[in-house]
Amino acid sequence: MVEIVGAFSSFSVDDVPKAREFYVGSLGLEAQEEMGGLRLTLPGGAQVFIYPKPDHVPASHTVLNLVVPNVDDAVRSLHEQGIRTDHYASSEQMPLDENGILRDPDAGGEGFGIAWFKDPAGNVLSVVTPS
């Protein structure tokens, strides 16, 4: 069996400087330039590698979920920076509130909340407050 001593995730972008500005400047994450890309260090120590890809196609799924203490405060902060959080269309199965937040319909608006948004390369991210 293979001995695995660690792991990290990665995804592509079409413009590393724009990605750096977004992930460091807008989201406040730590980043180091490495091999032409960015190594993000997330709260808690996990790392994600963002690499340049000339024929980049944005992921159609969520590539990074950012856990926040309060989803409403996080969404307000994103909106103040001009970042939209209404990426996914509301439906009966996924009713979003006026700020683009999906909440647990069985919890009466308390606890769980998630809102999706995109990075400059079009990749889907979220801010989430688990229940």
Side-chain angles (χ1 to χ4, degrees), residues 9-118:
S9 182
S10 64
F11 56 90
S12 69
V13 297
D14 54 358
D15 187 323
V16 172
K18 277 187 183 177
R20 180 178 189 62
E21 182 180 316
F22 179 78
Y23 286 96
V24 174
S26 297
L27 299 182
L29 297 173
E30 293 181 29
Q32 291 183 319
E33 293 183 25
E34 187 174 284
M35 298 185 323
L38 297 174
R39 180 171 38 100
L40 296 181
T41 300
L42 305 173
Q47 295 185 342
V48 175
F49 185 67
I50 297 175
Y51 59 93
K53 186 175 178 197
D55 58 346
H56 166 75
V57 175
S60 60
H61 59 279
T62 307
V63 298
L64 186 60
N65 294 288
L66 302 167
V67 178
V68 296
N70 183 297
V71 71
D72 293 285
D73 291 344
V75 166
R76 190 172 10 267
S77 177
L78 291 170
H79 288 179
E80 287 170 359
Q81 296 179 68
I83 300 169
R84 290 182 40 190
T85 56
D86 57 352
H87 171 68
Y88 291 99
S90 190
S91 69
E92 282 187 34
Q93 293 79 27
M94 285 184 39
L96 304 180
D97 71 11
E98 66 278 359
N99 291 313
I101 301 171
L102 174 66
R103 300 182 191 275
D104 181 351
D106 299 326
E110 297 295 321
F112 175 82
I114 186 169
W116 293 272
F117 58 103
K118 292 183 178 181

